[in-house]
Amino acid sequence: MKKIILMGRTGSGKTTLAQALKGDTVTFRKTQYVHYHDVVIDTPGEYAETQYLSRALALYSYEAQVVGLLLSATEPYSLYSPNITNMVNRDVIGIVTHIDVSGARPDRAERWLRLAGCKTVFFVNSRTNEGVGEILEYLREDGDVLPWDE
Ligand SMILES: Nc1nc2c(ncn2[C@@H]2O[C@H](COP(=O)(O)OP(=O)(O)OP(=O)(O)O)[C@@H](O)[C@H]2O)c(=O)[nH]1
Ligand SMILES: [Mg+2]
């Protein structure tokens, strides 16, 4: 699997999504055994919210092949500046979380992520694993076996 680093503000659902990707209920495995720690890097929301800490995210991004920018569909604003993805020479995907919450605006969150420069946007309810399989498919590399292959 490609390694993904999850970024986003506090409460956007990084740790919950990391757990879902790791397979508390959804699982993935490789022909060669891979520790989930090798596949998902979770970061604290404060790193995305605080200017001087955000530099750490720029450096950590080089540890991963894919950067996942999370934005909750319940957020009234976006942290991400237009075209911020240009700062990173990695694939950057957008992930809209909390799509299940009543009054949530996944459409607006998607527009903000696309404005930030994300070409690919996923929609998840990490509590039920809805949409999580699509991200795992995106991270799949040759030889990886996912539960639904069997
Ligand atoms: N309904 C719903 N709740 C979610 C979803 N994702 C996360 N949550 C809830 O949102 C809250 C915050 O989730 P976390 O995963 O801890 O958020 P985080 O981004 O890791 O936050 P920090 O570690 O503080 O940066 C928790 O109560 C989760 O259960 C989702 O897709 N839908
Ligand atoms: Mg967390």
Side-chain angles (χ1 to χ4, degrees):
M1 304 291 284
K2 290 183 209 143
K3 195 191 269 193
I4 184 169
I5 181 164
L6 302 179
M7 301 182 183
R9 58 159 301 185
T10 301
S12 57
K14 299 174 296 296
T15 301
T16 312
L17 177 60
Q19 284 164 352
L21 288 166
K22 283 187 284 195
D24 286 347
T25 48
V26 174
T27 56
F28 59 84
R29 62 181 173 77
K30 206 172 198 275
T31 319
Q32 288 174 303
Y33 182 72
V34 174
H35 286 285
Y36 60 76
H37 305 285
D38 294 336
V39 175
V40 186
I41 306 172
D42 186 14
T43 64
E46 288 77 7
Y47 280 38
E49 290 160 357
T50 314
Q51 194 179 15
Y52 75 95
L53 291 174
S54 65
R55 293 172 199 150
L57 290 182
L59 290 176
Y60 280 131
S61 69
Y62 294 106
E63 300 292 324
Q65 288 148 284
V66 179
V67 175
L69 297 185
L70 273 71
L71 186 58
S72 168
T74 61
E75 281 295 335
Y77 64 91
S78 167
L79 276 186
Y80 308 118
S81 309
N83 291 321
I84 199 171
T85 59
N86 285 334
M87 290 176 62
V88 186
N89 63 355
R90 294 284 184 276
D91 284 347
V92 185
I93 60 170
I95 303 172
V96 178
T97 59
H98 292 83
I99 57 169
D100 53 301
V101 176
S102 91
R105 290 285 309 275
D107 57 323
R108 186 171 64 181
E110 178 188 4
R111 280 206 303 279
W112 282 332
L113 287 168
R114 293 202 184 277
L115 188 65
C118 299
K119 303 268 188 298
T120 308
V121 178
F122 295 92
F123 298 86
V124 297
N125 171 0
S126 311
R127 283 186 171 172
T128 61
N129 288 321
E130 181 187 348
V132 173
E134 281 84 345
I135 298 176
L136 289 170
E137 286 289 356
Y138 183 87
L139 299 175
R140 184 205 284 261
E141 291 181 306
D142 285 351
D144 290 336
V145 179
L146 291 164
W148 43 91
D149 295 334
E150 294 163 355

